[in-house]
Amino acid sequence: MIEAIFLDRDGTIGGSNEIQYPGDFQLFPQAKQAIIDIKKQNIPLFSFTNQPDVAKEKVKKSDFISELLAFGFDAVYLCPHEDSDNCSCRKPRPGMLLQAAEEHSLNLANCIVIGDRWKDLVAAHAAGAQCILVLTGAGHDTLHARGKWADVQPAFIAANIQEAVEFIFTSLSSQPILPHSHTR
């Protein structure tokens, strides 16, 4: 049984592989339907995102949170730090996933992370969650930078968020979550 799904923001559900601030950020056409499909299954949906411009005071954390909640997320986990801050919440570290697990009594082995960057995949692996790579945003670059996430075996490599969600509900929802290398 899937206890929760975590989605990265930039490049996974919209935007590009560059950070776009709230107000300028647009969901991918298929992302809105993917979010609706997840919500119909009554599976908690969480956003987890690195947003270092918050610490630089270029944008407010509350703006990201408000926008993501308006898209349909149940909770938002946001790391405002830069790599040099060496915090436990910045992906590829699993801090945001561990925080969500504690706050929502989740067994992360029964959770799925979907992202377009190697850092999303490594964070999922470190937390014991399953992961799916989407080839939107930085996904193609991630796929070809396998050395950075060589120890991680994604459950699926999807063209986009909608294909990832379809895979979850057709292949994973009725069986134990096990990694395998399968692409459509």
Side-chain angles (χ1 to χ4, degrees):
M1 181 167 158
I2 299 168
E3 293 185 32
I5 296 175
F6 292 85
L7 302 180
D8 172 57
R9 180 183 182 266
D10 300 286
T12 299
I13 62 166
S16 66
N17 63 353
E18 299 293 323
I19 294 173
Q20 294 179 338
Y21 293 146
D24 295 330
F25 185 82
Q26 298 292 317
L27 287 174
F28 292 140
Q30 71 277 8
K32 188 171 187 174
Q33 187 60 50
I35 290 169
I36 290 168
D37 292 346
I38 293 167
K39 301 298 282 181
K40 284 180 183 176
Q41 298 295 320
N42 293 316
I43 296 172
L45 179 63
F46 303 122
S47 173
F48 84 129
T49 181
N50 287 343
Q51 297 297 338
D53 283 353
V54 170
K56 297 174 190 172
E57 298 183 358
K58 293 182 179 181
V59 63
K60 293 180 182 178
K61 182 177 181 177
S62 61
D63 292 340
F64 281 103
I65 292 171
S66 296
E67 181 178 73
L68 289 161
L69 291 174
F71 291 153
F73 287 92
D74 296 305
V76 176
Y77 294 90
L78 184 149
C79 173
H81 308 107
E82 298 183 55
D83 282 331
S84 61
D85 292 332
N86 202 27
C87 67
S88 64
C89 59
R90 184 165 175 84
K91 296 182 275 183
R93 292 182 183 94
M96 289 185 279
L97 298 171
L98 297 174
Q99 180 185 353
E102 184 175 319
E103 290 177 1
H104 300 279
S105 301
L106 300 172
N107 176 349
L108 288 170
N110 296 324
C111 296
I112 300 170
V113 170
I114 303 173
D116 70 318
R117 295 180 183 269
W118 68 269
K119 290 181 177 188
D120 303 321
L121 305 177
V122 171
H125 181 73
Q130 294 299 308
C131 60
I132 295 174
L133 173 65
V134 291
L135 297 178
T136 52
H140 284 285
D141 292 341
T142 296
L143 186 60
H144 299 297
R146 186 75 172 131
K148 293 182 178 184
W149 54 285
D151 294 337
V152 178
Q153 182 63 46
F156 188 64
I157 298 172
N160 56 47
I161 186 68
Q162 184 64 41
E163 187 176 272
V165 169
E166 288 170 5
F167 172 76
I168 290 168
F169 295 133
T170 60
S171 300
L172 295 181
S173 60
S174 62
Q175 60 186 339
I177 302 173
L178 299 171
H180 57 85
S181 55
H182 174 340
T183 60
R184 288 188 186 174

